[in-house]
Amino acid sequence: MPTSEPLPRGKVLLRDDPLPRGPWARLESDHAIVGEGSRRLFTFDLEGRLLEAFVDGVGYRRGLDNRFLERRRLPGAPGLSRRLRRHLSAAEARDVVDLACRTAARAREGGYPAVPALDFDALEDDARRFAAVYRPIGILPPDQYLSIVVQLTSGCWYNRCTFCTFYRDRRFEVRSPEALRRHIQEVKAFFGAGLLRRHTVFLGDANALVLPAARLVDALAAVREALDGREVFGFLDAFSGRRKQAPQWAELGEAGLRRVYVGAESGSDGVLRFLDKPGTAADVLANVRAMKEGGIGVGLILLLGAGGRAFAQEHVRQSIALVNAAGLGRGDQLLLSPLVIPQQAPYARLAAQAGIEPLSPAEVRQQAEAILSGVRLGRGARWSYYFVEEFLY
Ligand code: SF4
């Protein structure tokens, strides 16, 4: 892992110490936390970028584009997450950052370590640098929001699934080996000491892993050499005839690939056709089995509510069959992602034409419970929800 200059230390607050009622600060090896009692907590990377805040019961996450997402609990709501989510206005975001900076300053005055805390204008500048380094990052799996994204490819080569608009604004492009090396250096320069907080690499965008294995091995070598051997993760959700076999996945595993997130969406071919996914459940299963045989972890993503009421029973039954046939075990994940239809996506129009009604939030919840009651996950596999509307990078 990279090292950075040690920050000056003041009063030391250990993790198990009771939190002081007033402002305090604690430096960790890869991030810093500033707080006021336990009511207010602000997490920074070691470049002073605010990452997360918790203020009087409300949680905030900040993206590198300087957008802020507020999350607060909504007890009794019928949906799955029972959380209100909304993006803050610039004025609201500025207030959160100002409060974080003031708390950091007061903690320093109280003798705690000096935590670097960028003010809102500096964060706006940082967001402009971010935009110069990256194409917009459409989506990441929920456990990879703090990864270092390396855009080996841009966009999705298929780009036709009816519910997905993540990459409609761009053509699929692949960086040459030289361009990839330059990109990685730009990424490192952008993050600076903030790299320490990011323990994995995500090979973006969607479907970078459709590239030939030899090309991927070279890319993985470049990534790992530059980023201190961090493990690499990626998506694969458009299946083509160029399927990799177990030995090729094993080769990629040796080169540092740890887990592939597979956008299976459903075990039902009827649902997959309706979504205009390129392939069948059998294709998904063959890919997953090859990955697992090659020693690669799998994150299998199912789309809750896909195909609405018309497909609900088939979707549940066939998805359970797919998951159980996949034999998920150690290092694998099952991710249940409630369908979110962007305005510009064809899905809503096609569903209306076909007379397909969406599931209500309560029905989506029931669908999740039905799938979970039917699947058998092996030892070491875990499942979680995947709320795409909570994504920020
Ligand atoms: S393959 Fe994945 S990224 Fe591409 S259009 Fe379909 S869902 Fe979107």
Side-chain angles (χ1 to χ4, degrees):
M1 301 288 268
T3 56
S4 65
E5 287 298 309
L7 292 163
R9 304 194 78 90
K11 275 191 214 171
V12 174
L13 185 65
L14 300 177
R15 280 195 188 179
D16 293 336
D17 289 346
L19 294 177
R21 291 177 64 172
W24 55 268
R26 188 170 68 222
L27 285 174
E28 305 271 354
S29 59
D30 61 356
H31 68 287
I33 307 179
V34 164
E36 183 161 358
S38 58
R39 285 188 317 127
R40 294 178 176 172
L41 300 170
F42 304 95
T43 307
F44 298 87
D45 76 9
L46 295 184
E47 289 286 336
R49 298 182 183 99
L50 184 62
L51 299 174
E52 286 183 333
F54 176 79
V55 181
D56 302 327
V58 181
Y60 303 92
R61 284 186 49 238
R62 175 184 172 272
L64 293 164
D65 56 3
N66 213 23
R67 286 186 309 145
F68 282 69
L69 183 73
E70 174 188 318
R71 293 184 302 173
R72 60 170 91 208
R73 294 193 68 75
L74 271 183
L80 275 171
S81 76
R82 302 194 165 165
R83 274 197 289 233
L84 175 89
R85 310 175 185 90
R86 73 177 183 101
H87 288 278
L88 299 189
S89 67
E92 291 170 319
R94 187 181 284 273
D95 285 346
V96 174
V97 174
D98 287 352
L99 184 60
C101 290
R102 280 201 307 276
T103 309
R106 288 170 59 213
R108 189 166 55 239
E109 286 160 17
Y112 287 96
V115 167
L118 298 180
D119 66 20
F120 191 77
D121 292 334
L123 289 174
E124 286 281 271
D125 287 344
D126 194 65
R128 281 188 277 277
R129 291 176 58 218
F130 169 67
V133 172
Y134 283 106
R135 303 291 308 273
I137 294 166
I139 188 74
L140 293 174
D143 63 344
Q144 296 298 317
Y145 291 177
L146 270 180
S147 64
I148 302 165
V149 172
V150 170
Q151 289 177 312
L152 168 61
T153 61
S154 177
C156 166
W157 70 267
Y158 180 67
N159 228 356
R160 275 182 23 209
C161 301
T162 57
F163 60 96
C164 172
T165 55
F166 287 130
Y167 307 103
R168 294 281 163 117
D169 62 338
R170 69 193 86 160
R171 293 215 330 247
F172 183 67
E173 287 171 4
V174 184
R175 281 197 156 99
S176 68
E178 301 72 36
L180 178 67
R181 283 183 206 289
R182 275 199 306 277
H183 173 61
I184 295 170
Q185 290 312 315
E186 287 167 4
V187 166
K188 286 181 71 171
F190 166 70
F191 279 111
L195 276 180
L196 289 163
R197 183 63 173 145
R198 296 172 185 270
H199 301 162
T200 60
V201 173
F202 195 87
L203 210 53
D205 281 331
N207 292 314
L209 297 173
V210 295
L211 297 185
R215 185 84 184 262
L216 288 170
V217 167
D218 289 348
L220 287 166
V223 164
R224 296 195 88 203
E225 184 190 334
L227 293 168
D228 306 287
R230 286 173 172 84
E231 291 178 325
V232 182
F233 297 73
F235 275 128
L236 182 67
D237 60 351
F239 302 105
S240 71
R242 294 166 286 169
R243 181 156 64 84
K244 293 178 181 62
Q245 305 298 325
Q248 292 171 300
W249 287 115
E251 203 184 342
L252 294 174
E254 276 168 31
L257 184 66
R258 163 56 79 90
R259 179 160 51 242
V260 177
Y261 298 85
V262 178
E265 326 302 7
S266 177
S268 153
D269 286 344
V271 173
L272 296 180
R273 269 194 302 278
F274 181 64
L275 299 175
D276 203 6
K277 291 290 289 190
T280 63
D283 294 326
V284 173
L285 187 58
N287 274 282
V288 165
R289 284 183 168 154
M291 288 171 199
K292 287 179 59 58
E293 210 182 311
I296 301 288
V298 171
L300 195 69
I301 304 166
L302 295 177
L303 213 47
L304 296 173
R309 292 211 178 101
F311 284 100
Q313 286 189 0
E314 179 181 330
H315 180 40
V316 168
R317 194 175 59 248
Q318 304 284 14
S319 295
I320 290 170
L322 172 66
V323 174
N324 289 342
L328 301 184
R330 185 171 302 284
D332 298 329
Q333 298 179 355
L334 171 64
L335 299 165
L336 301 182
S337 184
L339 176 66
V340 175
I341 305 298
Q343 257 181 357
Q344 317 86 318
Y347 181 99
R349 177 176 47 81
L350 295 170
Q353 281 169 5
I356 289 177
E357 296 172 8
L359 299 190
S360 68
E363 287 169 323
V364 171
R365 185 180 196 88
Q366 287 160 11
Q367 186 165 88
E369 288 164 0
I371 291 173
L372 289 170
S373 69
V375 297
R376 292 184 305 277
L377 299 182
R379 184 189 290 265
R382 66 180 188 87
W383 77 269
S384 69
Y385 290 118
Y386 178 6
F387 298 108
V388 295
E389 61 274 46
E390 292 198 352
F391 168 67
L392 268 185
Y393 179 61

